Amino acid sequence: MVMSWSPTHCVTAEEGRDDEQCARTDGLRYGFVLHGLWPQYEKGYPEACPIGKKPFVPNEVINGMKDIMPSRGLVIHEYKLHGTCSGLDPVQYYDLSRRLFRSVRIPERFNNPFETQYLSPRDVEEEFMRANTWLRPD
């Protein structure tokens, strides 16, 4: 599972292209978001696996992920590139993605961030490990 820090992405956002993520109209801002769930080999990961038909992610699935994935395009892209290699259909893939994302407790300072924060990668790692005692640095 890959999470990303939305405020950093929004620093270089393209107007119009990234509005769903970076110019929300509901008074909230994304903090850590689910970037995707990638099947993993021992070395590397598969991409864009042939499934015999064009991958399709239903609108209900896309709309159901908007609280943790910042854009329609990202939801579709991640299933086409990685979900097709999981052996799961879009509903199963995103149900699993949500369960895994929700299993990680995001430290409070990273929720709905409006102030600039300066932290080293190690500081972020340590905050996540304090909030999730089962996490390890590796």
Side-chain angles (χ1 to χ4, degrees), residues 82-109:
H82 302 295
T84 55
C85 299
S86 70
L88 303 172
D89 67 34
V91 171
Q92 296 167 323
Y93 176 76
Y94 283 111
D95 282 348
L96 177 59
S97 297
R98 177 175 293 284
R99 282 196 317 272
L100 292 172
F101 183 81
R102 293 287 182 221
S103 74
V104 177
R105 185 173 175 276
I106 297 173
E108 187 60 36
R109 75 183 295 161

Side-chain angles (χ1 to χ4, degrees), residues 43-71:
K43 292 184 179 189
Y45 51 88
E47 289 185 350
C49 296
I51 59 172
K53 60 184 179 197
K54 183 178 177 186
F56 174 76
V57 182
N59 278 330
E60 310 83 62
V61 173
I62 295 167
N63 293 335
M65 294 304 293
K66 290 288 200 76
D67 60 324
I68 62 174
M69 292 185 85
S71 76

Side-chain angles (χ1 to χ4, degrees), residues 107-123:
E108 187 60 36
R109 75 183 295 161
F110 302 123
N111 292 318
N112 202 26
F114 278 91
E115 72 286 343
T116 301
Q117 300 184 38
Y118 296 97
L119 296 158
S120 71
R122 180 70 184 151
D123 290 339

Side-chain angles (χ1 to χ4, degrees), residues 7-36:
T8 298
H9 171 76
C10 291
V11 167
T12 59
E14 294 179 34
E15 189 174 329
R17 179 178 171 254
D18 294 316
D19 288 353
E20 279 183 278
Q21 181 172 355
C22 304
R24 291 177 65 168
T25 58
D26 59 5
L28 299 174
R29 291 189 63 187
Y30 285 109
F32 276 98
V33 295
L34 175 65
H35 185 92

